[in-house]
């Protein structure tokens, strides 16, 4: 299976929604504590190595990336200097970034593009806020301030263009409707920091949360007093969780225990796959929308892996 070495520590990896052979990777020097960053655009070749088709250097670490859902050449990056940067792959590197949105007062930890309306994106920051942006405006459309601590993750609902979720170090996940003045729901989901959240792609009322408490919980927002599933199997904090675009009950997660796990939350033995190919914290994971079962991960070992579920990521 193909592997790519980055000069800095990996933080996030995302498959392109337009091309099955392109991925974006966010990296940060010195484990994201101090130093530069780089955004890599990588290309998968059939039965061959991963090649780099573009790289963008930044003065601060890059913690997350997402692809535009409207323009196949646009990538958005979350930066350690509090900015959100917009890159256009169709332009030379010297012309990039084409825009830098600077409003957050601390590190931007996550970005997510609206898959329904395809005209806006969210940024989540350690300044305890989430901001809503459109590509063509220099100023944010709105700032969502309710969390009492860092917001680590934000995710648009896959069916409702105005609804999103945010996960925070204040141990809550909040559901928001951009048409409403405040959050519409507060899930006290874990007793420890929540590092990630994602919506089910087939049921717009189902959301998963991942926490420092080593667990993933699956919730139905119509009755959120008790989770519908609790997934235990990671040995340390769960850094990211992503629902499958192809199977309603499947999801993938990565953890500080250096593993990537595949789950089916509807069956009793929910852990259906474990991959231990990373040798440092596994902090970024994604599933391809275009190729069923294709996974990508990155971590602090400065490696990016792409593999088919059921295969060994390290196999040649």
């Amino acid at each position: 299976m193909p592997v790519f070495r980055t000069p800095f520590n990996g933080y996030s990896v995302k498959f392109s929604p337009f091309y099955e052979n392109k991925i974006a990777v966010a990296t940060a020097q010195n484990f994201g504590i101090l130093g530069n960053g780089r955004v890599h655009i990588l290309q998968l070749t059939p039965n061959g190595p991963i090649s780099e088709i573009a790289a963008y250097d930044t003065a601060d670490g890059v913690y997350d990336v997402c692809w535009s859902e409207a323009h196949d050449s646009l990538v958005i990056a979350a930066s350690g200097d509090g900015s959100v940067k917009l890159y256009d792959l169709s332009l030379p590197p010297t012309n990039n970034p084409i825009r830098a949105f600077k409003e957050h007062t601390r590190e931007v930890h996550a970005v997510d593009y609206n898959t329904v309306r395809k005209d806006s994106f969210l940024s989540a920051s350690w300044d305890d806020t989430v901001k809503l942006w459109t590509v063509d405006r220099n100023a944010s459309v709105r700032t969502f301030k309710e969390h009492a601590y860092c917001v680590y993750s934000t995710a648009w609902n896959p069916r409702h263009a105005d609804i999103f979720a945010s996960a925070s170090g204040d141990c809550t996940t909040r559901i928001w409707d951009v048409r409403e003045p405040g959050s519409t729901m507060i899930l006290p989901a874990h007793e420890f920091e929540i590092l990630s959240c994602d919506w089910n792609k087939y049921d717009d009322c189902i959301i998963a949360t991942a926490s420092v408490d080593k667990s993933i919980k699956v919730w139905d927002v119509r009755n959120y007093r008790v989770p519908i599933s609790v997934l235990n199997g990671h040995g340390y904090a769960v850094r990211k969780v992503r629902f499958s675009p192809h199977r309603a009950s499947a999801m993938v997660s990565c953890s500080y225990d250096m593993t990537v796990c595949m789950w089916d939350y509807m069956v009793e033995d929910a852990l259906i796959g474990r991959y231990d190919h990373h040798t440092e914290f596994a902090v970024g994971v994604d599933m391809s929308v275009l190729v069923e079962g294709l996974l990508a991960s990155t971590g602090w070992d400065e490696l990016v892996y792409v593999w088919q579920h059921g295969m060994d990521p390290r196999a040649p």
Side-chain angles (χ1 to χ4, degrees):
M1 298 291 106
V3 61
F4 181 85
R5 180 171 287 280
T6 58
F8 302 150
N9 307 109
Y11 260 86
S12 176
V13 59
K14 298 283 173 64
F15 283 99
S16 165
F18 293 97
Y19 304 106
E20 61 184 47
N21 64 340
K22 280 187 184 177
I23 56 175
V25 181
T27 69
Q29 197 174 18
N30 302 316
F31 309 102
I33 298 164
L34 185 69
N36 303 330
R38 185 175 292 174
V39 176
H40 298 266
I41 309 300
L42 307 178
Q43 184 163 304
L44 310 174
T45 53
N47 305 314
I50 301 175
S51 60
E52 182 179 82
I53 54 177
Y56 307 106
D57 289 317
T58 59
D60 290 86
V62 184
Y63 296 135
D64 197 17
V65 282
C66 71
W67 293 86
S68 165
E69 295 282 340
H71 303 282
D72 63 358
S73 64
L74 293 186
V75 171
I76 293 156
S79 177
D81 66 0
S83 72
V84 180
K85 293 182 169 67
L86 181 63
Y87 296 93
D88 188 337
L89 278 55
S90 67
L91 298 175
T94 51
N95 291 39
N96 277 289
I98 58 171
R99 192 163 297 154
F101 306 93
K102 291 189 177 178
E103 286 188 19
H104 285 294
T105 57
R106 289 198 62 196
E107 292 90 333
V108 182
H109 202 254
V111 282
D112 193 47
Y113 210 94
N114 192 314
T115 57
V116 181
R117 195 177 285 131
K118 302 183 190 296
D119 66 346
S120 53
F121 62 94
L122 297 164
S123 59
S125 170
W126 292 1
D127 67 8
D128 311 349
T129 71
V130 177
K131 287 180 182 283
L132 171 66
W133 310 83
T134 58
V135 170
D136 55 353
R137 282 178 50 157
N138 285 323
S140 62
V141 178
R142 186 173 163 197
T143 301
F144 302 87
K145 294 182 188 176
E146 278 188 28
H147 283 295
Y149 196 60
C150 302
V151 187
Y152 294 118
S153 174
T154 185
W156 286 105
N157 188 286
R159 292 195 190 173
H160 300 285
D162 295 303
I163 294 173
F164 71 91
S166 58
S168 168
D170 67 9
C171 308
T172 70
T173 291
R174 290 173 189 255
I175 313 298
W176 308 79
D177 185 323
V178 299
R179 299 163 296 187
E180 300 292 335
S183 63
T184 56
M185 193 178 299
I186 303 171
L187 278 70
H190 298 263
E191 293 182 7
F192 293 86
E193 291 187 279
I194 305 170
L195 303 181
S196 182
C197 63
D198 195 35
W199 294 93
N200 188 297
K201 307 302 180 261
Y202 292 85
D203 187 333
D204 52 23
C205 292
I206 303 294
I207 190 169
T209 56
S211 172
V212 170
D213 68 10
K214 312 177 208 173
S215 77
I216 299 162
K217 295 183 182 180
V218 184
W219 308 84
D220 187 326
V221 296
R222 293 163 295 197
N223 180 18
Y224 60 91
R225 298 298 170 204
V226 180
I228 57 176
S229 184
V230 179
L231 308 177
N232 292 303
H234 279 300
Y236 290 100
V238 186
R239 181 55 186 270
K240 213 157 276 180
V241 62
R242 301 279 289 177
F243 270 104
S244 167
H246 299 281
R247 289 178 53 197
S249 59
M251 64 178 84
V252 66
S253 61
C254 62
S255 165
Y256 290 148
D257 67 8
M258 308 184 201
T259 70
V260 172
C261 287
M262 182 73 84
W263 312 83
D264 183 337
Y265 75 88
M266 294 295 285
V267 300
E268 188 173 348
D269 294 322
L271 182 59
I272 57 175
R274 186 194 296 273
Y275 302 95
D276 59 357
H277 50 289
H278 284 290
T279 57
E280 279 284 353
F281 292 168
V283 295
V285 70
D286 197 25
M287 304 178 81
S288 172
V289 173
L290 302 176
V291 182
E292 185 170 359
L294 190 64
L295 302 168
S297 69
T298 190
W300 284 10
D301 55 8
E302 303 174 357
L303 294 172
V304 179
Y305 289 89
V306 181
W307 77 100
Q308 192 70 30
H309 173 53
M311 306 285 283
D312 182 351
R314 289 167 298 202

